[in-house]
Amino acid sequence: MDDDALLKEQIAYYRPHASGYDRPCAQREDLRGLLGSVGELPIVEDVLELVCGTGQWTGALAARARSATAVDVAEETPGIARGRVASPNVRFVQADLFAWQPPRRYDTVFFASRLSHVPPSRLPGFWSTVAAALAPHGKAVFIDVGPRGAERAQSLATQPTPTVRRRIDDGSA
């Protein structure tokens, strides 16, 4: 599967699963604690959140920022995030992260559970987008799956790009 097809499959997987994004964090104590750690992160001034999903992090980021811009490709997730985050300093943008270019620079670029979804061949472009979004002396802050999270996924060794199979609530992969 080429990277474009893989990314389309990821989007197709996550769109119907949008209402269930937050369930693992509600069910697992270690993830609940992670959400509570936002206060310890170097979040300042103007924040760009890449792939905001349902806004699970957005409200906490916005509470510490002068402004927040939250970007996501799916139509479903920003709608959930808008309902969750009623803050006048947050702007939601629906855009494909691999085609979108930041219109300005930010003091903090934040993303959670995203890096593990970037195909290796797209990493240079992804990091270029992050770099283009950062103001001088800005910080990129990210949280992603560690080895314990990867153990729970079914690896597909036949794929040229590291790939795992996940199931959504209706049982489809």
Side-chain angles (χ1 to χ4, degrees):
M1 178 180 312
D2 69 21
D3 289 347
D4 289 335
L6 177 63
L7 292 168
K8 285 179 184 173
E9 188 172 298
Q10 285 179 10
I11 293 166
Y13 167 82
Y14 283 108
R15 287 184 71 188
H17 186 58
S19 64
Y21 281 3
D22 303 336
R23 193 170 307 119
C25 286
Q27 294 171 341
R28 291 182 41 205
E29 186 177 336
D30 58 333
L31 294 178
R32 285 193 307 274
L34 190 58
L35 286 170
S37 71
V38 172
E40 300 168 29
L41 299 175
I43 306 298
V44 296
E45 302 295 326
D46 298 316
V47 175
L48 172 63
E49 181 182 12
L50 300 176
V51 192
C52 67
T54 61
Q56 194 165 39
W57 297 91
T58 311
L61 296 170
R64 301 202 43 222
R66 175 176 50 207
S67 72
T69 301
V71 180
D72 202 290
V73 69
E75 297 169 19
E76 295 80 1
T77 50
I80 295 169
R82 280 185 187 94
R84 169 183 266 170
V85 180
S87 178
N89 68 332
V90 177
R91 181 175 152 250
F92 291 95
V93 176
Q94 183 183 349
D96 176 352
L97 186 59
F98 295 105
W100 179 78
Q101 288 298 308
R104 55 175 287 227
R105 293 186 175 258
Y106 299 84
D107 302 292
T108 306
V109 175
F110 175 87
F111 49 97
S113 302
R114 180 65 202 150
L115 199 55
S116 59
H117 290 71
V118 179
S121 68
R122 299 283 179 102
L123 282 168
F126 174 80
W127 285 115
S128 291
T129 298
V130 171
L134 282 171
H137 307 292
K139 293 190 182 332
V141 178
F142 64 94
I143 297 168
D144 214 311
V145 174
R148 282 184 41 208
E151 288 171 2
R152 294 185 184 106
Q154 176 191 3
S155 292
L156 301 177
T158 60
Q159 299 297 321
T161 299
T163 306
V164 298
R165 180 179 313 280
R166 294 184 179 156
R167 299 212 174 267
I168 57 177
D169 292 343
D170 70 2
S172 62

